Amino acid sequence: MIVAGGCYLEVCTVPRWRRLFGSGGRAAASVGRLSPGTELHTYAHRGWVSDVRSSMHAFGVGATVQPIDERISFSYFHPLSPALLEPAVPAAQPALTVSGDVVLRFGFVEGDAVVSARRAVHDPQTGHAASPFRANGSRVERLAVVLNQGEAEAATGAAGDDVGAALLAAHDAEVVVVKRGCEGARVFRAGGVPADIPAYRSERVFKIGSGDVFSAAFAHHWGERGLGAVDAADLASRSVAHFVDYHALPLPPAAELASQPALPAGRRPGLIYLAGPFFDLAQRWLVEEALERLQALGAPVFSPLHEVGTGRPAQETAAADLEGLDRCAALLALLDGADPGTLFEVGYARARGKPVVVLAERLDDPNLTMLVGTGCRVARDLTSALYQAAWAAME
């Protein structure tokens, strides 16, 4: 396979992560074992060129690198926070020219790739500015487009299943795969009915680059192996679960992905009760951030801080909180230390058989043992906790 995509510095504060990867580099590394002879075509700062080549070589991937003068990076506070691109507007570079039997083309922030291929998979990596695949002179016999729901809606101005028909027409594509987060993905085929693909559960979730892995796995199974789009998308979804859990590349063969537990395809999470202390700035920030990120995952949230507030008498507030908890499908507890109020809400939920996910970044052993013993699912980082809560609210 040939991969045309960016190679950028990625920096994350929590958890700590600093790596020269980008969409192109990660996708090529993903299929290095599955597709011997994979080639990456990319740009990179002049001082990074040898690092890119040696890194790709370690994954069995060849690299053709166009040197540029800028160091382009994406920075994250945590894996679900918005990325900060530096420089904000990279200097435009001449387009790369790529030809081969199967090509995976990503959108670049600094350039483009003109492709000639028998089969191509296009991941535009953007929304409103996405141009049809062939607009830059690219030629392809069979085309699949992969993007997420937000990108699809921004690119088409449509919503729901209408995005599939709009994208098939705009790109003159055979297949469009729309990734839908916790709900899995939906495959649209010219002349066919949409098909739902489940997401697969993992114990941990390291989200940075998961979309690159999906596109790479889909390109291998659909483009190189010749599987149908539905089967290829299912294996891509399984590959993502393996990647975010183990954070390891290259990807394993399909046979090693057969035992992963599937989540209900196309089902949205139910109402999540967001429990946690909010007595100081750090605690309040965490509650606000968890609320915003859960909603971005498509999960409705009952937050006592926002739904009930703090101005009522304590007894009235507690009654309103428990009434809200009774309506929820799952509880996410942000346990900062061992806050008594949050622990009470955890116990109340478990006594009523509701699934509970606990974020325990710093929790002493006795409390941790108690939570595990009562059937709570414990996550050690925010991203994993948010996904585990959304998945629990789907079941």
Side-chain angles (χ1 to χ4, degrees):
M1 186 194 305
I2 292 177
V3 178
C7 195
Y8 312 119
L9 179 64
E10 300 168 349
V11 181
C12 184
T13 303
V14 182
R16 290 191 61 82
W17 167 258
R18 184 181 179 88
R19 194 73 182 270
L20 186 58
F21 246 148
S23 297
R26 182 177 286 100
S30 297
V31 297
R33 176 183 175 190
L34 302 176
S35 178
T38 293
E39 293 283 336
L40 170 66
H41 290 253
T42 190
Y43 309 91
H45 179 261
R46 298 180 187 281
W48 294 348
V49 171
S50 61
D51 291 335
V52 172
R53 288 174 177 157
S54 60
S55 178
M56 289 299 102
H57 179 75
F59 290 101
V61 174
T64 300
V65 186
Q66 177 63 45
I68 62 175
D69 294 328
E70 292 180 319
R71 293 178 171 86
I72 302 176
S73 66
F74 286 88
S75 300
Y76 308 80
F77 183 63
H78 62 80
L80 286 179
S81 62
L84 175 64
L85 171 63
E86 294 184 354
V89 183
Q93 304 296 328
L96 307 174
T97 302
V98 177
S99 62
D101 186 52
V102 177
V103 176
L104 168 59
R105 187 184 103 186
F106 288 97
F108 294 84
V109 298
E110 77 276 42
D112 200 1
V114 179
V115 169
S116 177
R118 178 181 63 86
R119 284 194 179 198
V121 174
H122 179 40
D123 185 340
Q125 301 270 294
T126 187
H128 65 278
S131 299
F133 178 81
R134 297 176 177 83
N136 67 355
S138 292
R139 296 176 299 156
V140 62
E141 295 177 22
R142 303 179 67 181
L143 174 65
V145 179
V146 179
L147 70 178
N148 65 42
Q149 184 76 34
E151 292 168 342
E153 292 176 354
T156 62
D161 283 353
D162 291 342
V163 300
L167 288 164
L168 286 167
H171 290 272
D172 189 18
E174 178 179 324
V175 176
V176 168
V177 182
V178 178
K179 298 172 291 181
R180 307 174 75 193
C182 296
E183 298 175 56
R186 181 160 288 180
V187 177
F188 300 88
R189 293 157 291 182
V193 296
D196 284 326
I197 307 300
Y200 288 87
R201 181 185 284 280
S202 58
E203 290 299 317
R204 296 165 295 275
V205 180
F206 185 87
K207 191 71 174 109
I208 296 174
S210 60
D212 311 331
V213 171
F214 186 103
S215 294
F218 180 83
H220 169 67
H221 294 295
W222 179 79
E224 292 192 299
R225 296 184 64 204
L227 298 185
V230 173
D231 290 337
D234 184 75
L235 284 169
S237 185
R238 292 174 182 270
S239 297
V240 167
H242 180 275
F243 169 72
V244 299
D245 199 351
Y246 298 101
H247 200 206
L249 296 175
L251 293 172
E256 297 181 23
L257 301 173
S259 62
Q260 292 162 308
L263 290 149
R267 183 186 300 176
R268 292 192 173 186
L271 187 63
I272 296 174
Y273 187 97
L274 180 58
F278 40 85
F279 301 113
D280 58 38
L281 180 61
Q283 293 172 346
R284 179 66 179 261
W285 180 90
L286 184 57
V287 171
E288 299 284 357
E289 184 72 359
L291 173 65
E292 184 175 347
R293 300 306 159 203
L294 281 171
Q295 291 173 336
L297 291 177
V301 182
F302 181 93
S303 166
L305 172 62
H306 301 87
E307 303 289 341
V308 179
T310 59
R312 303 184 187 184
Q315 187 173 357
E316 184 179 334
T317 300
D321 289 350
L322 296 181
E323 181 182 343
L325 181 50
D326 286 335
R327 296 191 286 111
C328 291
L331 180 143
L332 171 60
L334 308 175
L335 273 179
D336 185 350
D339 174 63
T342 305
L343 287 172
F344 172 79
E345 290 168 314
V346 168
Y348 183 90
R350 290 305 300 144
R352 282 150 183 75
K354 296 182 183 290
V356 172
V357 176
V358 175
L359 172 61
E361 290 187 294
R362 54 184 188 91
L363 196 64
D364 56 35
D365 289 339
N367 280 298
L368 187 59
T369 302
M370 178 194 69
L371 292 168
V372 173
T374 56
C376 298
R377 185 180 293 272
V378 176
R380 291 298 198 175
D381 66 276
L382 178 61
T383 303
S384 297
L386 297 175
Y387 270 89
Q388 294 289 354
W391 294 336
M394 293 170 64
E395 298 173 333

